[in-house]
Amino acid sequence: MSEHGWSPSGPDGRGRAEETGDTVWRLRSRGCWQEAGELLRPAAEQDPSVALGRAELLIEQCLFTASHWTQAEQALRLAEALAAGTEQRAAAACARGFLAYLASVLGSRDRLDEAQAALGRTSALLPPDAPGRPLLDFRRGLVAENLLRDRSAAWIAYRRAHDAAGERGDELLRSYTWRHLAALALSRGDHIRAREGFDASLRLREQLGFTVGVAPALAALAEVSEPEEAARLRAEAARLVHALGGVPVWLARQLGALRAPGPPPDGRIGSETRGTIS
């Protein structure tokens, strides 16, 4: 996601900060989270905004690799310690909720209570029109869909996030909300809306250059395509996963693109993670 992270437009500011932001985005978009994190490390020790961005970056690495949990946790603790003011505390709590959610879906233990508490704390801190609201709504939708199995609540949260992200021009977040709204439409048997959403998600990721997110979008679009087109889309997704070294690991396992790293002990990477984790 781009909110509180590193987006195609880079961080606020000019000169060296803007150049760093562009470099971080290029690394992030290619799945080079370790390199991007190291680039941000010096500033993150002192700057709360950079610390939050670095934490989000390393949490995203957990999403795609189902590993590096300790590194993400350490970065997040630093961001929580440095957070100054309501907005930064809310951003740190939102990141905490997302990490707990990912650990529940891809990791070794259930952290649903922690995820709900952290996202609830975020909501209490943020006014209704705060810039962090779209990301919060999206993450609450993830919890509702994948942990609580409440599709109605998930749809409401995704729709709210989708509309607000559109108003704010957060196209990366909209690439996620499009895909989740499409997946819910497909679960209702609405193939027309599902294809529209999956296609929009793929188009946005290609336009933004979010390379690491293109393969999941291709695989999702294949679910609502004719057999010949679906085979082509899955083959393209598999080639891209292979080129990126096997990420996302859960998609690599589905596509058989290569032998992905195994899940953590008692991990839950399986059929329940079919392309809609995030």
Side-chain angles (χ1 to χ4, degrees):
M1 270 37 62
S2 56
E3 190 68 43
H4 305 305
W6 298 82
S7 67
S9 59
D12 293 335
R14 298 178 181 276
R16 187 169 182 176
E18 187 171 346
E19 182 179 344
T20 299
D22 290 341
T23 302
V24 168
W25 167 252
R26 287 194 296 272
L27 290 169
R28 172 193 178 185
S29 67
R30 295 168 187 168
C32 300
W33 300 280
Q34 290 287 315
E35 293 87 342
E38 285 303 308
L39 185 63
L40 296 175
R41 182 190 293 276
E45 297 292 337
Q46 303 293 332
D47 188 323
S49 295
V50 177
L52 281 166
R54 183 171 181 269
E56 287 280 7
L57 185 79
L58 295 178
I59 292 169
E60 182 177 83
Q61 181 178 227
C62 296
L63 163 66
F64 282 89
T65 67
S67 62
H68 303 286
W69 301 102
T70 300
Q71 190 177 9
E73 180 66 37
Q74 291 171 344
L76 180 53
R77 286 180 180 173
L78 175 62
E80 290 170 332
L82 292 178
T86 302
E87 183 176 345
Q88 289 180 351
R89 289 197 301 272
C94 191
R96 169 65 61 191
F98 188 45
L99 181 58
Y101 159 78
L102 289 177
S104 298
V105 176
L106 294 173
S108 59
R109 63 189 180 93
D110 185 353
R111 293 170 60 180
L112 170 59
D113 290 344
E114 181 186 349
Q116 289 183 298
L119 296 179
R121 186 161 64 252
T122 307
S123 183
L125 288 168
L126 290 179
D129 59 346
R133 276 280 169 185
L135 184 60
L136 169 62
D137 285 332
F138 174 68
R139 288 175 172 175
R140 294 181 102 170
L142 292 174
V143 170
E145 180 186 6
N146 292 314
L147 297 182
L148 300 177
R149 307 299 180 188
D150 187 341
R151 289 177 176 174
S152 295
W155 188 91
I156 292 170
Y158 292 147
R159 187 76 246 179
R160 198 160 49 225
H162 184 78
D163 293 342
E167 292 172 4
R168 295 185 179 280
D170 191 341
E171 297 294 73
L172 183 57
L173 180 54
R174 274 172 69 86
S175 80
Y176 281 92
T177 55
W178 266 123
R179 191 155 66 94
H180 279 269
L181 289 168
L184 291 178
L186 183 59
S187 72
R188 300 192 304 268
D190 190 340
H191 284 250
I192 294 176
R193 288 188 183 276
R195 184 174 180 86
E196 176 189 11
F198 289 142
D199 185 66
S201 177
L202 174 60
R203 185 169 61 252
L204 283 174
R205 291 182 177 196
E206 291 177 333
Q207 290 172 354
L208 292 169
F210 189 49
T211 307
V212 75
V214 169
L218 288 166
L221 184 58
E223 295 296 315
V224 290
S225 300
E226 295 298 322
E228 184 175 347
E229 183 187 9
R232 179 186 63 79
L233 291 169
R234 291 191 181 101
E236 186 177 348
R239 284 193 296 270
L240 186 53
V241 167
H242 188 280
L244 292 172
V247 293
V249 294
W250 35 268
L251 182 60
R253 295 169 74 86
Q254 291 168 18
L255 295 172
L258 49 82
R259 187 174 182 81
D266 300 319
R268 291 191 287 153
I269 302 177
S271 61
E272 73 274 19
T273 63
R274 192 170 182 78
T276 55
I277 302 166
S278 180

